[in-house]
């Protein structure tokens, strides 16, 4: 793998580790002399509209890491995960985990329980999402009759993920693997949706990634059920027929598309730096999601 170019924050050197890749948010390192594990570091970078912004959100990487660890524990009886034992370097403590190397499936496994985002656009165009037909009359924020599996292709930085059908996934990874990915994705969504609802949060949808370990098991990898990979809405403000308030980077998106930013999304210029109030509000939303879901204060 090669690093994604032109990221605003370069990966720091870590003694005993070799930097091998940087994505929109995460930096990956290989322990010296160890071909079985990786060190995954969640940075404070934030992306929007297929750009990695120059401004970071303090503590975002720690929130993503700690929340993923909490969710991995909640899901341990449903699916194995990629975590392995070992100490992480002090320089990235709280925002890094050691994981086993996996052969990742080339598909984003998305479960939707509510209609919004790209699913809403696809539904409006043809009454279905990823080939799954839905009832007429649904609006932005509608709860679906039952959760659906709506996979997508993995896109490179700067490109959009593309929704695909279950049949296309089966052609890519094989029928049995596709069935397993769908089953696991919907089982994880069902568990997480119940947990979130008990805490006053609607889990509208979530994106998961899976891989195979050396023994051929399907393993849950990457981050899981964070504000970067999921849409969390306050349950007491859920109101179908309009965009819902959310515990994520919607604050950033809204500012970038407002006259205040002066940014032309259709142009070639990168997004401008975020103002302090947008940074603080975004940080607060991530931390609120962590605290409401886990029931523990973020520190």
């Amino acid at each position: 793998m090669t690093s994604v170019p032109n990221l605003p924050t370069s990966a720091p050197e870590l003694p005993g580790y070799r930097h091998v890749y940087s994505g929109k948010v995460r930096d990956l390192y290989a322990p010296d002399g160890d071909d079985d594990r990786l060190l995954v570091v969640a940075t404070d970078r934030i992306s929007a509209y297929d750009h990695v912004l120059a401004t970071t959100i303090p503590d975002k990487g720690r929130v993503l890491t700690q929340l993923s660890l909490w969710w991995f524990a909640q899901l341990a009886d449903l699916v194995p995960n990629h975590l392995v034992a070992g100490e992480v370097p002090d320089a990235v403590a709280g925002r890094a985990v050691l994981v086993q190397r996996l052969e990742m499936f080339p598909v984003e496994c998305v479960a939707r329980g509510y209609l919004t985002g790209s699913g809403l656009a696809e539904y409006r165009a043809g009454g279905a999402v990823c080939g799954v037909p839905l009832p007429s009359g649904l609006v932005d924020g509608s709860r679906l009759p039952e959760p659906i599996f709506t996979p997508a292709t993995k896109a490179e930085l700067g490109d959009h993920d593309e929704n695909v059908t279950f049949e296309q996934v089966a052609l890519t990874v094989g029928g049995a693997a596709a069935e397993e990915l769908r089953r696991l994705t919907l089982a994880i969504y069902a568990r997480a949706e119940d947990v979130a609802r008990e805490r006053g949060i609607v889990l509208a949808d979530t994106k998961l990634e899976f891989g195979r370990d050396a023994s051929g098991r399907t393993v849950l990898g990457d981050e899981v059920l964070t504000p970067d990979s999921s849409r969390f809405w306050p349950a007491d403000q859920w109101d179908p027929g309009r965009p819902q308030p959310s515990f994520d980077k919607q604050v950033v998106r809204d500012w970038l598309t407002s006259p205040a930013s002066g940014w032309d999304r259709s142009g070639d210029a990168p997004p401008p730096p975020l103002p302090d109030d947008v940074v603080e509000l975004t940080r607060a939303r991530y931390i609120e999601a962590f605290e409401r879901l886990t029931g523990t204060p973020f520190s």
Side-chain angles (χ1 to χ4, degrees), residues 107-270:
V107 58
E108 304 280 5
C109 294
V110 180
R112 300 178 192 269
Y114 293 76
L115 189 62
T116 194
S118 64
L120 175 64
E122 196 171 332
Y123 168 78
R124 285 174 170 169
V129 182
C130 294
V132 180
L134 295 174
S136 61
L138 300 180
V139 297
D140 194 353
S142 286
R143 187 174 188 178
L144 301 179
E146 61 182 12
I148 59 175
F149 179 61
T150 59
T153 58
K154 291 184 179 181
E156 298 295 330
L157 184 68
D159 294 330
H160 293 285
D161 292 345
E162 180 182 351
N163 290 351
V164 294
T165 65
F166 175 80
E167 289 73 21
Q168 288 172 289
V169 174
L171 287 173
T172 301
V173 303
E179 290 280 1
E180 184 178 38
L181 292 177
R182 178 167 61 182
R183 177 183 63 80
L184 288 172
T185 299
L186 293 176
I188 290 168
Y189 176 83
R191 170 72 59 81
E193 199 267 342
D194 284 344
V195 170
R197 184 168 295 280
E198 291 173 356
R199 291 153 172 79
I201 292 177
V202 170
L203 173 59
D205 54 45
T206 193
K207 177 178 68 175
L208 305 168
E209 295 198 35
F210 298 91
R212 282 199 180 102
D213 66 9
S215 66
R217 293 186 310 167
T218 298
V219 175
L220 180 61
D222 199 54
E223 64 180 320
V224 60
L225 293 156
T226 72
D228 272 13
S229 65
S230 314
R231 284 188 176 92
F232 295 114
W233 299 336
D236 59 358
Q237 297 179 51
W238 175 54
D239 183 18
R242 62 172 178 82
Q244 311 298 311
S246 57
F247 295 104
D248 61 11
K249 54 191 174 186
Q250 191 60 46
V251 175
V252 172
R253 297 189 192 100
D254 290 347
W255 183 79
L256 287 173
T257 55
S258 73
S261 75
W263 181 56
D264 179 6
R265 184 180 169 189
S266 62
D268 296 329

Side-chain angles (χ1 to χ4, degrees), residues 11-66:
E13 291 187 10
L14 295 175
Y17 292 85
R18 174 175 54 87
H19 174 250
V20 294
Y21 178 79
S22 286
K24 292 179 180 178
V25 173
R26 283 166 181 76
D27 296 328
L28 298 186
Y29 296 81
D32 289 343
D34 185 344
D35 294 330
D36 297 324
R37 299 185 300 168
L38 290 170
L39 180 74
V40 182
V41 181
T43 73
D44 291 337
R45 296 193 292 266
I46 192 165
S47 64
Y49 300 118
D50 300 314
H51 291 271
V52 178
L53 307 188
T55 310
T56 57
I57 306 297
D59 292 318
K60 178 174 175 281
R62 292 176 57 232
V63 169
L64 298 181
T65 299
Q66 300 309 312

